């Protein structure tokens, strides 16, 4: 799972005769350190959803269901998730790491026929400033600023457009 994914959960509660009981049980989502991240009351024998928190750390998480002195636990894996946000301010690009793990790689910036970039080392929620006037001439700076305000991961091969290449994945501009 990735941060912000919704997990569909269904729980069954049986009495001693193995008949279904419809009662309220507690559904909890625990982080890899065992800390409570989400908790909600749900009806047994029905399907519900619980959302993985934004910027949930990668690792093994637990779904815990408890009611009437009974409990069950299942594990889920939260994957490393890369998400960058880019904002333009005074001729600079501000690159923010919105992912759930450290971002340490070269950010390649493409502007028509010129390629440039910067090595980034960003913790979660950290921002780095890229001065475009140090990388591109004025015409190329305008192309980058006009088209690159937010980055979205695009599955598949790189596309022919102004954009960013990171980790071998293409991030395009909206």
């Amino acid at each position: 799972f990735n941060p912000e994914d919704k997990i569909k959960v269904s729980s069954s509660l049986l009495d001693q005769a193995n008949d279904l009981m419809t009662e309220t049980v507690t559904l909890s989502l625990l982080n890899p350190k065992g800390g409570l991240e989400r908790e909600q009351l749900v009806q047994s024998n029905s399907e519900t959803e619980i959302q993985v928190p934004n910027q949930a750390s990668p690792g093994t998480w637990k779904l815990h269901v408890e009611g009437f002195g009974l409990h069950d636990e299942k594990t889920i894996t939260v994957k490393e998730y890369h998400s960058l946000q880019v904002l333009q301010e005074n001729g600079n690009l501000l690159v923010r790491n919105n992912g759930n793990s450290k971002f340490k790689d070269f950010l390649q910036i493409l502007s028509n026929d010129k390629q440039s970039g910067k090595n980034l080392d960003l913790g979660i929620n950290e921002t780095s400033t890229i001065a475009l006037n140090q990388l591109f001439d004025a015409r190329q700076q305008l192309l980058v600023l006009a088209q690159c305000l937010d980055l979205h991961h695009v599955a598949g091969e790189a596309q022919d457009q102004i954009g960013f290449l990171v980790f071998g994945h293409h991030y395009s501009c909206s």
Side-chain angles (χ1 to χ4, degrees):
F1 293 94
N2 288 318
E4 298 185 6
D5 279 354
K6 292 181 180 179
I7 303 168
K8 290 185 180 186
V9 178
S10 58
S11 62
S12 297
L13 186 60
L14 305 174
D15 64 14
Q16 292 176 341
N18 283 335
D19 293 326
L20 290 174
M21 297 172 49
T22 302
E23 300 292 338
T24 301
V25 295
T26 303
L27 172 63
S28 306
L29 181 62
L30 307 173
N31 64 33
K33 294 181 180 179
L36 180 65
E37 293 287 336
R38 297 261 199 276
E39 186 173 74
Q40 59 194 56
L41 296 175
V42 299
Q43 289 296 311
S44 63
N45 309 314
S46 65
E47 190 173 274
T48 190
E49 290 182 345
I50 192 164
Q51 188 172 21
V52 178
N54 179 24
Q55 296 179 336
S57 61
T60 303
W61 288 58
K62 292 182 182 176
L63 286 169
H64 183 87
V65 179
E66 187 172 343
F68 294 95
L70 303 170
H71 65 89
D72 194 15
E73 231 172 49
K74 300 290 181 197
T75 60
I76 64 164
T77 300
V78 174
K79 300 175 196 170
E80 195 170 279
Y81 178 72
H82 301 287
S83 176
L84 298 176
Q85 178 185 29
V86 177
L87 302 173
Q88 180 268 334
E89 183 179 285
N90 300 324
N92 296 318
L93 292 181
L94 304 177
V95 182
R96 179 182 168 91
N97 179 8
N98 288 334
N100 68 351
S101 59
K102 185 176 184 109
F103 180 91
K104 187 173 183 174
D105 208 336
F106 183 77
L107 179 70
Q108 183 179 17
I109 304 170
L110 311 172
S111 178
N112 282 355
D113 57 347
K114 182 164 184 197
Q115 298 180 26
S116 191
K118 182 178 178 182
N119 283 311
L120 297 177
D121 188 358
L122 298 173
I124 298 168
N125 291 324
E126 286 185 355
T127 301
S128 179
T129 301
I130 299 175
L132 290 176
N133 64 353
Q134 295 176 3
L135 302 176
F136 298 104
D137 64 33
R139 180 185 66 84
Q140 291 165 327
Q141 288 177 54
L142 289 175
L143 286 171
V144 172
L145 292 178
Q147 297 189 27
C148 298
L149 299 180
D150 288 299
L151 298 181
H152 307 282
H153 184 272
V154 177
E157 298 298 315
Q159 302 172 5
D160 292 327
Q161 63 183 24
I162 295 173
F164 301 86
L165 289 174
V166 183
F167 295 163
H169 298 289
H170 186 79
Y171 289 77
S172 64
C173 306
S174 59

